[in-house]
Amino acid sequence: LSKIIALVESAQMGKAPLQQLVDRVSAVFVPVVMVIALLTLLLWWILVGDFGQALLAAVAVLVIACPCALGLATPAAIVTGTGVAARHGILIKDVDTLQKAHAIKALIFDKTGTLTEGRPVLQHWSGDADSLRLAAALQQASEHPLARAMVETQGELALPEPQEVEVRIGAGIQGLVEGRKVAIGNHELMATLGLVVETPESRDGATRVWVAIDDKLAGVAALADKLRPESQQAIAELASRGIESWLVSGDAAAPVAHIAAKLGLAGAFDSILPDGKVAKVEALRAQVKGLVAMVGDGVNDAPALAAVDVGIAMGSGSDVAMETASITLMRADPRLVADAIDISAATWRTIRQNLFWAFAFNVIGIPLAALGYLSPELAGGAMALSSVTVLSNSLLLKRWQPKAGRA
């Protein structure tokens, strides 16, 4: 909890690029106002001959031009925007992300644990029980969600410890269990063992892995991971905002294509190794006019989350993903992605409105004060009113409610 609070405070203390521009404008604005006040004093004194009236007009110019509202316009909206986002489970880590998230035009979703529940189960096994036991024993050495699914089939049964384990990235795993050579993986791994396997057409979205024992095919496991019930609505919400959704996964083509078709995604990348996700990000960035974001939850998603314009991590995922991403969704609900974009747009809109009012008061007020239509008292009231207007407009953000992912 303390870490979350620190991240929110850090975001609220930061300066958006637009605020830096406002600061530069203020640095020029103040000397210009001083010159206008001096000219007002001199012209009133020369033309009217009343130094007292000339001094009142000059003071009124200085008072009405006090850039309080200009300085409050951006920070007030940022503090309110990041605060209301955090209350609804959207943790925005820096101001730059808050300012640019609304410009996202394409989103890449990781599959396992992001659009799916991340808890695959064994749907079908074609071999015998002892072969499955040996396979589950070897899978104890793997952190892959599919491996956990095979281990869980053995319940409380004590499994032997695997020896000489070798993980083949993008292919599978092999090792010794009870002195027997066990290999689990895709057709590429089986090919290295001299085994030729046929890949059946997957119409159910299940991922199929082969198990070989002592260089002989022992069975095929169909492992399925259920889609999150919110995934369909999440993709629909993004599409309604004109944002394309893509899928990237290390799984085989058939299950990835099945999920992409079911959700109506713009496209999908299958059989992608962890370091290949960054290349897909760059390819999509060259294809899309606008910012590219990614939503992921695993350690292998971290490089891609760092490479995109806006990285979004699921709070149920790994610490590495959450540290790398610039937005963390505190609930495992992909619908919050659209809400994160919405609060960014709402905050950006509020900042522009605040700047408009701040400049409007000065553009109208300074000439009136210089011409003698505003006394210092009225100028002070108008200056205070401009600050109150900006703060009140920013506080309206507290009424923002998520449309897609309601708690």
Side-chain angles (χ1 to χ4, degrees), residues 26-39:
S26 296
V28 176
F29 178 75
V30 172
V32 168
V33 169
M34 295 293 291
V35 171
I36 293 174
L38 181 60
L39 289 175

Side-chain angles (χ1 to χ4, degrees), residues 313-336:
M314 303 289 278
S316 58
S318 68
D319 289 341
V320 175
M322 288 187 283
E323 285 289 340
T324 307
S326 49
I327 297 177
T328 299
L329 309 180
M330 302 308 293
R331 301 198 310 275
D333 186 346
R335 294 176 300 177
L336 286 175

Side-chain angles (χ1 to χ4, degrees), residues 128-188:
D128 58 45
D130 190 58
S131 296
L132 181 58
R133 181 183 67 86
L134 294 175
L138 177 61
Q139 293 284 40
Q140 293 177 104
S142 175
E143 294 295 328
H144 198 283
L146 297 180
R148 293 199 301 269
M150 296 187 74
V151 174
E152 288 171 0
T153 62
Q154 302 303 300
E156 300 298 324
L157 180 67
L159 296 172
E161 288 295 323
Q163 305 293 326
E164 300 181 21
V165 176
E166 180 185 357
V167 177
R168 302 281 190 90
I169 297 176
I173 185 172
Q174 60 186 30
L176 295 177
V177 180
E178 294 182 342
R180 304 184 69 181
K181 185 179 177 182
V182 181
I184 307 169
N186 58 20
H187 64 279
E188 293 179 2

Side-chain angles (χ1 to χ4, degrees), residues 4 84-91 109 113-117 228 230 233-234 295-297 312-317 322 327-340 400-407:
I4 292 173
V84 73
R87 282 204 306 275
H88 291 289
I90 302 167
L91 182 59
F109 283 91
T114 303
L115 291 177
T116 66
E117 293 182 349
R228 293 186 185 276
E230 309 89 359
Q233 184 184 350
V295 188
D297 71 326
I312 304 173
M314 303 289 278
S316 58
M322 288 187 283
I327 297 177
T328 299
L329 309 180
M330 302 308 293
R331 301 198 310 275
D333 186 346
R335 294 176 300 177
L336 286 175
V337 175
D339 290 328
W400 178 84
Q401 292 290 328
K403 295 178 181 178
R406 296 187 182 276

Side-chain angles (χ1 to χ4, degrees), residues 173-370:
I173 185 172
Q174 60 186 30
L176 295 177
V177 180
E178 294 182 342
R180 304 184 69 181
K181 185 179 177 182
V182 181
I184 307 169
N186 58 20
H187 64 279
E188 293 179 2
L189 180 61
M190 295 298 110
T192 64
L193 303 176
L195 299 174
V196 179
V197 296
E198 293 184 2
T199 304
E201 185 177 353
S202 177
R203 296 181 179 178
D204 55 3
T207 299
R208 285 166 171 78
V209 296
W210 287 263
V211 177
I213 298 177
D214 295 330
D215 294 334
K216 294 182 180 179
L217 189 63
V220 181
L223 301 155
D225 191 5
K226 289 175 59 178
L227 279 174
R228 293 186 185 276
E230 309 89 359
S231 294
Q232 191 86 50
Q233 184 184 350
I235 301 302
E237 289 286 347
L238 291 168
S240 68
R241 292 161 175 76
I243 300 172
E244 293 184 352
S245 297
W246 294 69
L247 180 63
V248 62
S249 175
D251 288 350
V256 172
H258 174 82
I259 289 179
K262 191 171 183 179
L263 294 177
L265 301 178
F269 305 111
D270 58 78
S271 307
I272 304 299
L273 299 179
D275 55 353
K277 291 183 178 181
V278 175
K280 295 303 179 184
V281 166
E282 297 300 333
L284 192 58
R285 181 181 280 131
Q287 179 179 334
V288 176
K289 293 182 179 179
L291 301 186
V292 176
M294 179 173 177
V295 188
D297 71 326
V299 174
N300 59 348
D301 296 324
L305 289 172
V308 291
D309 299 301
V310 179
I312 304 173
M314 303 289 278
S316 58
S318 68
D319 289 341
V320 175
M322 288 187 283
E323 285 289 340
T324 307
S326 49
I327 297 177
T328 299
L329 309 180
M330 302 308 293
R331 301 198 310 275
D333 186 346
R335 294 176 300 177
L336 286 175
V337 175
D339 290 328
I341 295 171
D342 284 350
I343 187 59
S344 168
T347 304
W348 178 242
R349 185 167 55 249
T350 300
I351 289 173
R352 288 185 295 177
Q353 290 170 353
N354 287 350
L355 291 174
F356 168 79
W357 287 114
F359 279 110
F361 272 99
N362 285 318
V363 169
I364 297 172
I366 290 176
L368 291 177

Side-chain angles (χ1 to χ4, degrees), residues 1-10 86-87 89 91 319 322-323 330:
L1 180 60
S2 61
K3 189 174 182 180
I4 292 173
I5 293 171
L7 287 172
V8 174
E9 289 178 344
S10 175
R87 282 204 306 275
L91 182 59
D319 289 341
M322 288 187 283
E323 285 289 340
M330 302 308 293

